[in-house]
Amino acid sequence: MLNFDFYAPARILFGKDEEKRAGELLKPHAKKVLLHYGGGSIKKSGLYDAVAASLKANGVAFAELGGVKPNPRLSLVHEGIALCKKENADLILAVGGGSVIDSAKAIAMGVYYDGDIWDVYEEGKSIEKALPVAVILTIPAAGSESSGDTVITNEEKQLKYGYGSPRLRPLLSIMNPELFFTLPENQLANGAADMMSHVFERYFTSTTHTDLTDGLCEAVLKTLMKNALLAKKDMKDYDAWSELGFAGTVAHNGLVGMGRRQDWACHNMEHELSAVYDVAHGAGLAVLTPGWMQYVYKDNMGMFVQFAVNVMGVEGSYRDSEAIIQEGVARLRDFFNKMGLPATLSELGIGEDRLEEMAKKATGEAFGRESPIGGLKKLYWQDVLNIYRLVK
Ligand code: NZQ
Ligand code: ZN
């Protein structure tokens, strides 16, 4: 196990009707809130009205900015920064999924940042200060409700970069699984693939003596698969959504990765797909992950046997590791298929023409500073291109 520093203070308020407490919970922290949301699902579901009523009842004034798109755009972040300054907002309430929360975090930093907030994403500059962000989560997926991370798309440059700071951990996150009932099936599937990937990125490691986190990762993965299938059968299954919501937070609050060398190659490769083709993050991960496994497993066969046996339930002779691993990957593909997720880049509308460009951007080669990605196996741009081509 490697040395680590674990500090993950995110208050999660879980359960039915918790969103109705938004005003009461925020009153001690804010006089004026920026209510930030997406393309309209919260208006259709009635959540917007419930939150607005709760803020009003508690005397918390608010300005609002909707219109966050999946793969949240820098231009709206700029608008949000200007609006927060004009309105003197002292807290941002993100009501939505990862895109809304990440946009809120970008605005929260931008209010205090002297210059274009994109610099922080592009150059990794450290930030001194950010407005507090509170969350009402409407989709279990990105884990942004408990992470200190934000991922923003610069639509002009066709770049999608992440940035992390402990200052960006939400002040509090409300998670009522009933709010997930209105999700379309494809968003359930995308979310499941993303939450699983957050565990995979930590689980597949060459670090040894990681019994506790191995077991936590395996439990989270099995919980996600079991309950994603249950929720797909009945999109109003409160218990299944509860498990997914809690597992999604545990998958990405940092705990399951402590003391382990982490990987993150699939996320890096996927962000290029989303930046150029605007595909859903989870769908991109579902395509790339089995291909990545095929490409890297020989570098740590034991880890992949453990995954096949402990997570995917493969039985067989331990003398035949190759067959066990192949069956494990096949079962993962089968799970993604049952969830209705794509298996190839062409299903995402991605052809050969820009694969090399994306591979070179993923490792920095395109900017003259190649630095290989991946913790389990170092991947250079040619490797990334090989993986893209494996899942064409
Ligand atoms: O915009 P609205 O109308 O609200 O519709 C959204 C959106 O179209 C819809 N939706 C959300 N909740 C709903 C709902 N529709 C009906 N009922 C509900 N209850 O779902 C669509 C997708 O929303 P989005 O916020 O984009 O989903 P997700 O949570 O998957 O977030 C994806 C973003 O998070 C980033 C991804 O890169 C991507 O940009 N990530 C952020 C991370 C972080 N900050 O820690 C880590 C992740 O690895 C990830 O990279
Ligand atoms: Zn992700």
Side-chain angles (χ1 to χ4, degrees):
M1 197 183 297
L2 307 177
N3 290 11
F4 65 83
D5 177 344
F6 183 59
Y7 180 63
R11 181 175 175 199
I12 308 284
L13 293 115
F14 176 91
K16 291 182 184 172
D17 288 336
E18 286 294 312
E19 72 282 5
K20 293 182 185 151
R21 297 179 57 207
E24 163 208 331
L25 290 162
L26 297 185
K27 194 176 176 170
H29 302 281
K31 286 198 171 59
K32 188 159 195 182
V33 161
L34 178 73
L35 176 57
H36 199 34
Y37 54 92
S41 71
I42 70 159
K43 291 213 163 153
K44 247 193 254 162
S45 68
L47 178 58
Y48 174 92
D49 291 335
V51 174
S54 170
L55 293 174
K56 279 181 197 153
N58 286 279
V60 180
F62 66 91
E64 63 180 271
L65 179 64
V68 179
K69 295 193 172 120
N71 298 321
R73 311 295 202 267
L74 181 63
S75 52
L76 193 74
V77 168
H78 289 152
E79 246 184 77
I81 294 168
L83 186 60
C84 267
K85 287 181 178 168
K86 181 173 154 242
E87 297 284 343
N88 270 323
D90 43 18
L91 183 147
I92 306 176
L93 173 58
V95 185
S99 297
V100 175
I101 305 168
D102 288 2
S103 179
K105 289 174 178 174
I107 296 169
M109 296 190 279
V111 166
Y112 294 111
Y113 185 75
D114 191 17
D116 185 348
I117 195 62
W118 180 251
D119 302 344
V120 169
Y121 291 83
E122 194 154 40
E123 295 160 29
K125 287 187 175 168
S126 65
I127 51 148
E128 306 289 312
K129 225 173 151 187
L131 285 177
V133 172
V135 172
I136 299 179
L137 188 69
T138 63
I139 168 173
S144 190
E145 72 279 6
S146 67
S147 80
D149 302 326
T150 156
V151 191
I152 292 292
T153 296
N154 182 326
E155 62 271 44
E156 271 173 27
K157 294 189 174 176
Q158 291 198 327
L159 294 173
K160 185 175 182 190
Y161 286 160
Y163 177 75
S165 162
R167 292 191 170 83
L168 295 179
R169 293 232 189 225
L171 173 75
L172 58 89
S173 292
I174 292 173
M175 185 189 293
N176 173 1
E178 286 177 325
L179 300 179
F180 308 152
F181 290 179
T182 52
L183 279 163
E185 270 189 34
N186 70 325
Q187 295 298 351
L188 159 67
N190 293 342
D194 189 20
M195 293 185 285
M196 289 174 71
S197 180
H198 295 157
V199 181
F200 289 150
E201 301 284 21
R202 296 167 164 106
Y203 181 63
F204 289 103
T205 186
S206 40
T207 309
T208 52
H209 302 292
T210 51
D211 293 355
L212 175 67
T213 42
D214 282 7
L216 292 172
C217 286
E218 289 160 3
V220 175
L221 288 168
K222 285 193 282 191
T223 302
L224 288 169
M225 285 191 288
K226 175 181 160 189
N227 288 284
L229 290 171
L230 289 172
K232 189 172 163 62
K233 245 194 244 153
D234 173 6
M235 294 291 284
K236 292 192 167 30
D237 183 336
Y238 180 84
D239 298 322
W241 282 118
S242 300
E243 299 284 359
L244 290 169
F246 195 11
T249 288
V250 175
H252 202 45
N253 73 357
L255 174 67
V256 304
M258 286 305 109
R260 315 167 71 88
R261 183 173 166 78
Q262 304 186 12
D263 195 83
W264 296 99
C266 287
H267 266 67
N268 275 299
M269 292 189 287
E270 197 294 314
H271 286 165
E272 298 309 323
L273 308 184
S274 286
V276 175
Y277 291 95
D278 201 16
V279 304
H281 174 59
L285 288 167
V287 170
L288 293 172
T289 302
W292 170 83
M293 289 180 168
Q294 285 296 356
Y295 197 76
V296 308
Y297 75 88
K298 289 210 165 103
D299 280 53
N300 191 335
M301 303 259 301
M303 188 76 244
F304 283 87
V305 169
Q306 185 180 328
F307 163 69
V309 173
N310 288 0
V311 180
M312 304 312 295
V314 179
E315 288 174 0
S317 161
Y318 286 108
R319 282 169 291 175
D320 200 357
S321 331
E322 176 73 28
I324 292 177
I325 292 168
Q326 291 305 330
E327 179 61 19
V329 178
R331 287 189 190 186
L332 178 67
R333 279 207 177 92
D334 185 50
F335 167 76
F336 286 155
N337 186 37
K338 277 192 192 132
M339 291 302 298
L341 285 157
T344 59
L345 292 178
S346 71
E347 288 169 69
L348 292 170
I350 300 174
E352 170 69 32
D353 47 329
R354 298 184 71 178
L355 296 185
E356 185 173 322
E357 173 198 335
M358 292 191 294
K360 288 183 172 167
K361 279 159 83 182
T363 62
E365 165 73 18
F367 315 108
R369 45 175 160 81
E370 184 168 50
S371 149
I373 57 171
L376 189 88
K377 180 183 174 73
K378 279 189 178 167
L379 302 176
Y380 294 84
W381 75 264
Q382 291 93 340
D383 299 303
V384 174
L385 183 58
N386 290 340
I387 293 171
Y388 285 154
R389 286 188 172 145
L390 263 182
V391 295
K392 249 188 349 182

